[in-house]
Every structure is written in C-alpha cells, then in structure tokens.
Amino acid sequence: EVLALETRLAESSLPSALAADPAATAHKMTFAHLKQFAPHFDWETYFQEASLPRIDVNVAEPAFVERANREMEATPLATWKAYLTWRVLESAAPWLSKPLASESFAFKDQSPGGAVAMKSRAMICVESTEALLGEPLGRVYAEHYFPPAAKARLQEMVRTLLAVLKDDLREVKWMSYATRKQALAKVEAYKVLVGYPDTWTDHSALVIRRDAFWANIAAARRFSIRTERQRIGHRTQISLW
C-alpha cells in the first residue's frame, strides 16, 4: 500500500530535468487560492503549526499538490498512517543502530545508486556535523584562521572597491542621468558580507549529547527549521514543494 501510494504521487511529479527548471516550477498563489486549490489539506493548521505567515506561496509542482489532495480523500486513513510511519522510519534509519543503517544503505544507496560500501561511522558523524551545524563549526574555524583584524582589512578593501565603482559610474558617458542614478542607488544598497556573519546565530538552546546520535540529528534539524521560519517571516513569498 505504501509503494502504491508513493507510485501514484511520483506519477504526478515533474521529471528531474523539469524540476530543476525555475520556469517550470514558478506558480505563484495567494494563501486563499492555495486553500481552494487543495481543500482537503488543512493549510490553516499546517501554517499555524509551522509558524509560517499567510503570504503568497510558490507552488513548485501544482500537479503533485493536486494529486496529493485527491489522495487525501480517496486513500484510506490506515494507508496514510502506514505511509507516514514509513517516512519517519526511512528518514531516521541512516542515523540509528548498525542493522537499521545497513538496511537503509542497501535500500537507498547500494541497489539503486551502485554504492559499494557504507561510509565509516566517524565520517558520517563528521559530514552530519558539517551539514547540520555548519555555522557553529564555521565560527570555531573563523576564530582560529580569520581573526577580526583580517575581516576588518578585507572590509576596508571592499569599501575601496565600491568607492572606485561609484566613481566609474559617475564618469560613464553612455548612461543617461536616470540610469546612472539607479546604478549608484543599487551600489549604495549593497550589503557586503565578508568571511562570517556580523551576528552569529545563538545555538545555546540546541542540546547535543554524546550518547544519542539520532536525537542529535533530530534536534539539529528542528533547530534549523525554526531558524529558517524566522527568516521566512521577513520574506514576501515562500516556496511550497
């Protein structure tokens, strides 16, 4: 039943080539239109639980959303429960004990991908740390190899380059006055980011334990999602995949 549901959803998904095409995945909708487009999905509760604003969304694959909406009405609840249980286990398996991680490797990497051997546990830990805790890891790196004095020198270099660019724009003969004014305004609006953030994200609420790998992965993912939601709150549009 899980495989059948996955197959039906896959049949309504874009092929990989089109899924990577921005023109094929640009479908702006208002929140009200989204609720009308897929009424069987409780968008109000979803957005509320996800702490997302009710702003315009980009529905990357309308056919997929439409098919999922139909499946919510036609597919038995027991199948949905089995499917969602499978999704949780499938996402956690690589980070669980060796028997489960081995089964996950054989299912996702060995047979379809042609991988020969699993990565060592140590390498998995290193790669997951870099992927999920990139900013605090980068902060430690910056403290050792890119001190504030080096950042200040580079910032001054960038300011000099921008000053030269503005001088050049003022002397460009082929630009009209209005175009030159717009170009200078654009340069003035540049926000130069050098080396590392001026304000680091506070990770003090993220608890990492030595004896719970999957719990660490889940906690880091939740923290990342919360941080992204805060960033989304400052956008005028979000993407729905």
Side-chain angles (χ1 to χ4, degrees):
E1 291 175 347
V2 169
L3 179 60
L5 176 56
E6 283 259 300
T7 301
R8 293 195 298 271
L9 293 174
E11 289 171 349
S12 299
S13 302
L14 289 176
S16 56
L18 281 178
D21 181 3
T25 55
H27 307 95
K28 186 176 179 180
M29 287 187 188
T30 64
F31 183 73
H33 186 195
L34 177 64
K35 292 199 296 182
Q36 295 173 356
F37 183 71
H40 295 296
F41 193 94
D42 189 353
W43 297 108
E44 284 286 354
T45 300
Y46 178 82
F47 273 60
Q48 179 179 344
E49 291 293 325
S51 301
L52 294 172
R54 273 63 160 182
I55 57 178
D56 292 352
V57 298
N58 178 49
V59 181
E61 299 193 29
F64 175 84
V65 174
E66 186 178 25
R67 184 56 184 258
N69 180 69
R70 296 203 309 270
E71 293 293 343
M72 287 180 183
E73 183 179 30
T75 301
L77 180 60
T79 300
W80 274 111
K81 287 182 176 180
Y83 171 74
L84 294 174
T85 299
W86 154 252
R87 294 293 296 176
V88 172
L89 292 173
E90 188 268 342
S91 67
W95 322 108
L96 297 177
S97 58
K98 189 173 182 179
L100 289 167
S102 298
E103 288 291 342
S104 176
F105 172 77
F107 181 73
K108 293 195 297 185
D109 300 314
Q110 193 170 33
S111 296
V116 177
M118 290 178 61
K119 295 178 181 178
S120 68
R121 197 69 160 177
M123 182 57 67
I124 291 173
C125 288
V126 169
E127 291 181 350
S128 62
T129 301
E130 184 176 1
L132 294 168
L133 300 174
E135 186 169 317
L137 190 64
R139 185 172 186 174
V140 174
Y141 180 89
E143 288 172 353
H144 282 80
Y145 299 105
F146 198 58
K151 180 174 180 177
R153 288 196 300 272
L154 192 53
Q155 287 174 321
E156 181 60 29
M157 184 186 303
V158 173
R159 284 193 289 268
T160 300
L161 290 171
L162 289 176
V164 172
L165 177 58
K166 287 189 284 187
D167 288 341
D168 288 345
L169 286 172
R170 294 188 185 99
E171 299 298 325
V172 172
K173 303 300 183 183
W174 55 265
M175 279 188 178
S176 67
Y177 172 79
T179 303
R180 183 182 295 108
K181 186 177 179 180
Q182 289 180 344
L184 288 169
K186 183 179 291 187
V187 174
E188 288 288 351
Y190 279 174
K191 183 178 181 181
V192 179
L193 304 177
V194 173
Y196 53 83
D198 294 330
T199 303
W200 294 96
T201 301
D202 182 7
H203 284 74
S204 60
L206 178 59
V207 178
I208 300 295
R209 297 163 45 192
R210 289 185 176 273
D211 60 347
F213 189 26
W214 164 243
N216 291 339
I217 294 289
R221 285 176 175 174
R222 287 194 298 269
F223 184 89
S224 177
I225 290 171
R226 286 197 300 270
T227 303
E228 182 62 20
R229 286 173 186 166
Q230 293 172 357
R231 294 192 182 107
I232 287 175
H234 300 288
R235 298 178 187 171
T236 57
Q237 184 176 325
I238 59 178
S239 289
L240 176 70
W241 296 86

